[in-house]
Amino acid sequence: MWQLKLLLRLIILFSLGCVAVGCMEKGEEITSKQMQSSSYEAAARIDGRVITLQELDSTLELALYDIAEQEYELRLNKLNAWIDKKDGNNASGKKIEILLTAPEPPRITLPTANQNLRGSREAPVTLAVFCSFQSPHCKAIQPVIRRLMSTYKGWVSQVHFDFPLKFHREGLRAGTAARCAADQGRFWEYHDALYVLTPEINGDTYSQLIGQLQLDAQKFEMCLSSDTPKASVLENRDWALGLGLKNVPVVFINGFYLKGPRKFEQYAYWIEKELRSMGINPKETYVWKDDETIDDRDLPITGLSLTLLGVSESSVKSKSKALIQVKEAAAKYFNVGQELIAGASLLRLHSSYAVIESKAGLEKLPLKGKGGTDVLQTHSYEQNAELKRRIEQPLGPGSRQLIASSGVLTLGQSWLSKQLEQREVLEAKFIEAELEVEGHHLMRLEGITNNEFFTALGFQENDVLMRVNDSWVHSGQNNLWDALTSGQIIDVAFMRKGLPQRIQYVVEEQGYFEKD
């Protein structure tokens, strides 16, 4: 077996060339003491130059781990098959102890400082994700990444590395466009939108997202035609190739290498292991800086005609904002320090309430509803527990859950308002489908192929809408319009070619995750 592995290493070695593996110069020698160590075992001698296993393996670190992981999986699967065969799924109740240990992935140092970041740079764990915007596997991993960011909120940050593959025709251009959106502070909204629209992204997608995200079109096009953003994407790609990466996605958790799409639990294992190594309990709630030094919980509740509908927290204090309705006016976003009404301004924000400074002194403005139970908090892209349950289990507690949302689309408020001016035309695109619910027909979309509104929302011809938040969409009711104008998060479930789909929409000017 070892002879086969050695031959494999030598073949890879000479395909890379002697320079790549750092072969020893002619005349250099290894001491007898070093040769006694397996890491200094000679793999080959070429015209007097010694190539050691240490030199060889240092260039094959990721590839050798892939092989070790495959060996572990083969052994584990075989062992489980033997146990099931011999013990009939342990019907006898025997104590079974698995002694195989999974190989630990190598840890790689990555240059993350200049990459687009989601979350706080102070987070103790960083997920470095190498992906291509046109990859279906990268699209599939997005719900897992979002779940990790939510479960370990504050403890984990995410950085994006572009790795467009040769057969992804739009990969390079999509990565370039996302970097141009980053120049206007909208990288993550653009990032999320591209993955929602994948694999249908094309030349029209980029101009569509300019309007949808309310970007400066002239500035965006000038950026797209320049060499700088493209060069940055190619620099990421070359870095990935230099590491020996061949496919996407690849996630590095604080440098730990995890190849290919994986389950939430596999990523969570390494995140929690890293946190514990730093003395952090992964189950503890991350406390934002303000909460560490300021306790506003006992402040009196304000009597001003203000309603707090959502909180968008940021690690950069000046970027935190609140969705507030002033009297009967439409809700809008206010930044910390901004005046709400005459004599009253937004002093600071917490996850479930805002602090108002007025002539009466400091007062607390809680999220709408007791404890925020009927409020959608924009900082987490999540609904409260009860609403979330009704959305994910439409048939009641204990029933099968809907699939996770495939992505989050940000819709600019002014763009959306303009689109909804033609609401009657848009409503005409809903045609009764064959399926019925609550005594009414579900609604199918027809004639939307070139429609900007429905394309921006990620819909395709013949999609059948099922639910908007926790309400059915059918010939008797369609709550999509009211939901889009509510200033809250919208969760839409629909059927495409017989398969369930789910998308979330955030109607706001700036998302929660920001680059600091």
Side-chain angles (χ1 to χ4, degrees), residues 443-515:
M443 305 302 289
R444 177 173 57 84
L445 291 171
E446 186 176 286
I448 67 166
T449 302
N450 297 314
N451 184 280
E452 179 183 352
F453 174 77
F454 289 109
T455 301
L457 266 60
F459 292 129
Q460 296 180 16
E461 190 77 6
N462 293 319
D463 283 348
V464 177
L465 266 69
M466 298 173 59
R467 292 173 68 83
V468 172
N469 290 336
D470 57 345
S471 299
W472 290 100
V473 175
H474 50 58
S475 55
Q477 65 179 18
N478 186 347
N479 294 330
L480 177 63
W481 317 109
D482 290 340
L484 288 172
T485 57
S486 68
Q488 300 177 342
I489 300 169
I490 306 101
D491 197 298
V492 176
F494 58 97
M495 297 289 288
R496 175 174 296 162
K497 298 179 180 179
L499 297 175
Q501 306 281 332
R502 191 171 156 209
I503 298 178
Q504 286 184 328
Y505 306 104
V506 179
V507 183
E508 59 176 341
E509 298 305 313
Q510 190 171 10
Y512 156 61
F513 296 113
E514 302 173 56
K515 184 173 68 174

Side-chain angles (χ1 to χ4, degrees), residues 111-173:
T112 60
N114 296 322
Q115 301 301 123
N116 287 290
L117 178 135
R118 173 175 268 176
S120 171
R121 291 199 182 276
E122 297 178 2
V125 176
T126 300
L127 308 182
V129 182
F130 283 79
C131 259
S132 169
F133 286 112
Q134 205 175 7
S135 164
H137 299 297
C138 286
K139 177 187 177 81
I141 203 178
Q142 297 309 306
V144 177
I145 297 294
R146 285 198 306 278
R147 183 181 171 191
L148 292 169
M149 293 291 291
S150 175
T151 302
Y152 303 101
K153 189 178 79 170
W155 300 122
V156 173
S157 64
Q158 175 190 354
V159 292
H160 170 81
F161 283 85
D162 286 293
F163 188 22
L165 305 181
K166 287 184 177 180
F167 51 87
H168 292 156
R169 297 178 61 183
E170 291 292 331
L172 177 57
R173 187 168 174 81

